[in-house]
Amino acid sequence: QITMMQDMDIVTEPQCRKGRPVQICAEKRRDLILDAVEGFMVERGLLHTSMDNVAKRAGMSKRTVYELFESRESLFAECLSRRSHRMLAPLTPAQKSLPLAQRLEELLTFNFPRTSARQSVEVLRSVISAARDYPGLGRRIHTVCLGRLYDMVAAELVEGNARGEISVTVEQAAEHAVMLTDMALESPLSVLLDPDADLEDTEDKAARRRLAIRIYFQALQGPEELSIAACRASGDGPAA
C-alpha cells in the first residue's frame, strides 16, 4: 500500500522497499493527479469531484495538488487538454510524406488506442452536465478538442497548397477545415445520448471520412469560389 507524507512530495512503500523514500518528479505527480480526476469524473461527475478525494486517490496531500493546480477549474481544464493531445496526435514524419487525402484521413481518425474511447465520452458527459457551473470548461472543450482538430486540418490544407496539391488561401483553409471535419465526423450527440453506442472505429466511420474528403476534393475542382464570403455575396442559393 502506498502512503504519502503530508508536507513532502515523496512516495513511500513501507511494505515493499526499505531505506529512503522514493521521490517522484512533478510530471509524474501531475499524471497521477489527472488520472485520479478522470476516474472521479467518470464515476461521479465533475460536480462531485473534490480536491480532497483527488488527492487521496493520487496518494498525495491536498497541498501538493494545489501547488500544481491553483483551482478545481484549472485542474479540470488540464485534464481535458491532456486527453485531447492523446486523442489528436500530430502526423508522424512518415505520414507527412503521404498525399494530402491520406494525410487528412489520418488527422481525422481519433487515436483511441492511446486513450479509452468510453472514458472520453464519459468525461465529455461530465463536463456538459456541469456547464452551467463551469461555463469556461464547456468552451474549453471546443478550443482544445474540436477547435484543435480544426487547426490541424487547416494547417494541412495550407501545407497542401504549398506543395501544389490544392489551391486555397489561408483564410479559405480555416473555413474549409471546419466544413470538412464536420462532414467527416459523426455528430457527438449520437454517442452522448446513447449509452450503448458503438465507439469503435468501424469501417462505416472510415468510409464516411473518405467520402467527405472525396467530396471536398471534387468541390475544389469546380468553378465557384469556395468561401463563406463568396456564398454570402451571391445570396441566390446553390448554383443550378
Side-chain angles (χ1 to χ4, degrees), residues 107-122:
L107 281 178
L108 293 168
T109 303
F110 288 138
N111 194 9
F112 281 134
R114 294 181 59 192
T115 184
S116 163
R118 180 65 60 186
Q119 192 171 31
S120 295
V121 171
E122 293 303 331

Side-chain angles (χ1 to χ4, degrees), residues 75-185:
L75 176 56
F76 297 146
E78 182 63 24
C79 182
L80 295 176
S81 181
R82 184 182 72 157
R83 182 156 288 271
S84 168
H85 280 77
R86 288 180 172 180
M87 290 177 59
L88 304 176
L91 296 180
T92 65
Q95 291 170 331
K96 278 286 191 180
S97 66
L98 296 172
L100 178 58
Q102 290 177 260
R103 300 201 305 275
L104 292 172
E105 187 173 353
E106 292 289 347
L107 281 178
L108 293 168
T109 303
F110 288 138
N111 194 9
F112 281 134
R114 294 181 59 192
T115 184
S116 163
R118 180 65 60 186
Q119 192 171 31
S120 295
V121 171
E122 293 303 331
V123 168
L124 182 57
R125 282 196 183 108
S126 178
V127 174
I128 292 174
S129 67
R132 188 174 297 276
D133 296 273
Y134 292 95
L137 287 178
R139 300 185 189 102
R140 188 174 179 84
I141 282 183
H142 184 274
T143 301
V144 305
C145 296
L146 193 55
R148 180 165 173 262
L149 181 56
Y150 289 156
D151 290 343
M152 294 169 71
V153 172
E156 211 54 51
L157 295 179
V158 171
E159 176 65 19
N161 180 76
R163 296 187 190 184
E165 296 170 293
I166 58 174
S167 178
V168 295
T169 66
V170 173
E171 292 76 13
Q172 288 173 337
E175 294 176 354
H176 294 185
V178 174
M179 301 294 289
L180 174 56
T181 301
D182 289 351
M183 279 198 301
L185 303 180

Side-chain angles (χ1 to χ4, degrees), residues 204-221:
D204 284 346
K205 294 178 183 178
R208 175 179 176 142
R209 292 194 295 270
R210 290 192 291 270
L211 176 60
I213 294 169
R214 187 175 301 174
I215 290 172
Y216 173 64
F217 274 90
Q218 289 177 349
L220 285 177
Q221 297 172 5

